[in-house]
Amino acid sequence: MRHTASIIITTAVGGTLWFGDAAVRDASAEAGRPPQALHAPAKVAVVSDADRRAELNARLQAMLQDGKGARLADPKPQTTPAPRRQTAARRSPETPRPARAVAARATAPALEPTATIAPPAYDPSRARPTGGRGYTAPKLDLTSMPAVPTDPVECLTQAIYYEARNESEDGQAAVAEVVLNRADSGRYPGDVCAVVYQRNSRTCQFTFTCDGSIGRYPVNMTAWARAERIAREVYAGKPTTLLPRTSVNYHANYVRPSWSSRLERVRRIGAHIFYGAALNGSTPGANEAPAPRQRGLMFVKNDAFERAYAMLTGKPAEDAGS
């Protein structure tokens, strides 16, 4: 009985599936499509990169043939036309000419006050011959003494101009401080002009006083006025912290004198190196003139020795030295 029921169920399911498949085939035939199997997956066409490029190229060629190639180019930038320059109206002969800007600049105040100290006179005969190359050591004239000014500010101005006119204001003021430090040290001449023009049989302390620099070239009045202003400020005691009071020597950075190793290096300002107290020995230029040496025997009267000799000999002290 149970076997008979299983056969009946199996036969019913198979018939249902057969009739459903037949219905699908009939519907496909009526629509003009080939019959498909039940539950068959749809096929998706695969397009390769080469096919895609070929299709795009064909579309571009078609656009060019239709005259639509302008769409393929970048749009031109929008430019705004520049405004036209307006032509100035002609000035009639009766219209006065406007004042020039140069005249307005001429009335502006100068950066430096006018110099009140006359610079050294220019002597063309003292100019150096041209044509040389490189640095040439100056020839020192130690036999003829130039005219020494009596105004300390004028001597300071000369020292600043001929020693540091191309330096900054700090560099120029430092040169003036060295001169005043020497005059106040007690180891150099006490007068400012005597310090600037100090010399001995071998050299001069400030080279411009014995190498012919004074009067060799025309003086730049702007630099001279600046040097005079700085000289007056330093001489009047304008407070500065450039150099210590022990700084009495300096030299340019392109030379190396033998005495530089004997002094304490203080600082460098521009092209000048400044020194302070002596490390061993004395500072250059200080009390260089030695005391005259006595030749032969030298007798010095000694009162204590005479009294002792008088006690031993029994003679009066005033007769002991005879």
Side-chain angles (χ1 to χ4, degrees):
M1 186 67 181
R2 183 178 300 172
H3 180 70
T4 303
S6 298
I7 293 174
I8 295 173
I9 294 172
T10 303
T11 303
V13 172
T16 303
L17 292 176
W18 184 85
F19 282 111
D21 189 15
V24 170
R25 286 196 299 269
D26 294 341
S28 299
E30 293 178 0
R33 292 178 299 180
Q36 297 181 356
L38 186 63
H39 305 297
K43 294 184 180 180
V44 179
V46 178
V47 182
S48 63
D49 293 340
D51 295 340
R52 190 179 292 106
R53 287 195 296 269
E55 182 183 0
L56 178 61
N57 189 29
R59 293 175 58 186
L60 294 177
Q61 295 296 332
M63 292 178 64
L64 293 176
Q65 292 178 3
D66 296 342
K68 300 178 181 180
R71 294 174 56 185
L72 304 178
D74 295 334
K76 295 183 180 180
Q78 299 294 332
T79 57
T80 303
R84 298 184 60 183
R85 183 178 180 182
Q86 297 180 359
T87 305
R90 290 182 173 273
R91 183 179 58 86
S92 61
E94 292 79 9
T95 304
R97 184 183 297 272
R100 298 181 62 185
V102 177
R105 289 197 301 266
T107 59
L111 297 179
E112 293 292 342
T114 305
T116 59
I117 299 176
Y122 168 53
D123 186 1
S125 63
R126 306 181 65 178
R128 287 182 178 177
T130 58
R133 299 182 61 184
Y135 172 74
T136 303
K139 295 181 179 180
L140 304 183
D141 181 11
L142 302 174
T143 58
S144 58
M145 189 71 176
V148 180
T150 57
D151 183 6
V153 176
E154 181 176 357
C155 293
L156 273 182
T157 303
Q158 290 184 2
I160 293 173
Y161 178 84
Y162 287 105
E163 292 282 314
R165 64 178 176 272
N166 295 325
E167 297 296 317
S168 63
E169 292 199 8
D170 284 348
Q172 297 183 31
V175 170
E177 286 188 15
V178 167
V179 175
L180 297 183
N181 289 345
R182 286 194 172 194
D184 297 337
S185 66
R187 294 177 286 115
Y188 294 86
D191 181 72
V192 172
C193 291
V195 168
V196 173
Y197 284 85
Q198 183 186 6
R199 61 171 60 188
N200 53 30
S201 60
R202 300 185 308 274
T203 185
C204 52
Q205 294 299 309
F206 291 86
T207 310
F208 77 92
T209 63
C210 62
D211 68 348
S213 296
I214 300 177
R216 176 173 291 161
Y217 301 108
V219 171
N220 184 312
M221 291 307 300
T222 301
W224 179 264
R226 182 181 301 110
E228 179 182 339
R229 174 178 59 82
I230 296 175
R232 292 188 182 279
E233 292 176 353
V234 176
Y235 187 76
K238 181 180 180 180
T240 58
T241 57
L242 297 175
L243 302 173
R245 291 187 177 273
T246 57
S247 182
V248 292
N249 293 94
Y250 70 92
H251 65 78
N253 59 356
Y254 53 83
V255 297
R256 182 172 295 180
S258 59
W259 50 260
S260 61
S261 60
R262 305 197 310 263
L263 304 179
E264 176 189 6
R265 181 169 175 171
V266 174
R267 65 179 300 186
R268 173 176 175 175
I269 305 177
H272 287 150
I273 301 174
F274 295 86
Y275 295 85
L279 299 177
N280 50 3
S282 60
T283 57
N287 301 326
E288 286 192 346
R293 298 182 60 183
Q294 298 289 340
R295 296 186 177 182
L297 297 176
M298 181 175 59
F299 296 93
V300 180
K301 184 178 181 180
N302 192 320
D303 295 338
F305 178 77
E306 291 182 356
R307 288 193 298 270
Y309 182 77
M311 293 176 60
L312 293 176
T313 58
K315 295 182 179 180
E318 59 272 10
D319 297 336
S322 60

